[in-house]
Amino acid sequence: MIDHQRLIRAIAAVEGNAWDSPGGGLQYTKATWYDYTRMPYREAQKPGPSTTVAIRIIEDAVSRLQARGIKATVYLLALRWRYGFAGMIQRLTNTDNDYAKRVQNLYLDPSFT
């Protein structure tokens, strides 16, 4: 089972954006933010609301993958974060995506907190 909180921390670390920047630490676009919440976009700059929305996005992706008979992995969810669901589906056979590898490596690193 994927630890959503750990995955979100790994994504935020790879994104490297300051929380007070537009889109927050998880670099939400306005379109993605409003696909999953009615909260004002400025709330993306706060770790609490931002994490709540991130969990919705991850759970949605996991559900949609399962409906297609595909097992969700950290790598695939990182692809989803970077490219959206359709972009992730287009890259299913690509196992050499730098962004997804970096997220996965952090997630799997026992020293990452």
Side-chain angles (χ1 to χ4, degrees):
M1 176 167 239
I2 295 172
D3 178 341
H4 294 153
Q5 296 288 336
R6 185 173 184 81
L7 174 58
I8 292 164
R9 287 193 308 276
I11 289 169
V14 171
E15 291 291 346
N17 203 32
W19 279 104
D20 62 352
S21 300
L26 295 170
Q27 295 215 3
Y28 285 103
T29 63
K30 283 184 180 181
T32 297
W33 182 258
Y34 287 122
D35 279 347
Y36 290 91
T37 187
R38 291 185 178 181
M39 287 187 279
Y41 183 59
R42 68 181 174 277
E43 293 296 302
Q45 296 173 299
K46 299 176 183 174
S50 187
T51 298
T52 298
V53 173
I55 290 170
R56 286 180 195 156
I57 293 169
I58 292 167
E59 288 175 349
D60 176 62
V62 169
S63 176
R64 292 169 73 183
L65 284 167
Q66 287 175 340
R68 291 172 177 247
I70 301 168
K71 180 179 173 25
T73 64
V74 169
Y75 185 88
L76 289 179
L77 294 173
L79 284 177
R80 188 290 171 223
W81 197 267
R82 180 71 169 205
Y83 302 105
F85 191 83
M88 175 201 59
I89 294 298
Q90 291 173 346
R91 292 167 176 82
L92 279 177
T93 59
N94 177 0
T95 59
D96 195 32
N97 182 277
D98 182 64
Y99 179 88
K101 279 183 170 180
R102 288 184 290 145
V103 170
Q104 179 177 264
N105 287 342
L106 275 177
Y107 179 91
L108 295 174
D109 184 343
S111 67
F112 178 69
T113 55

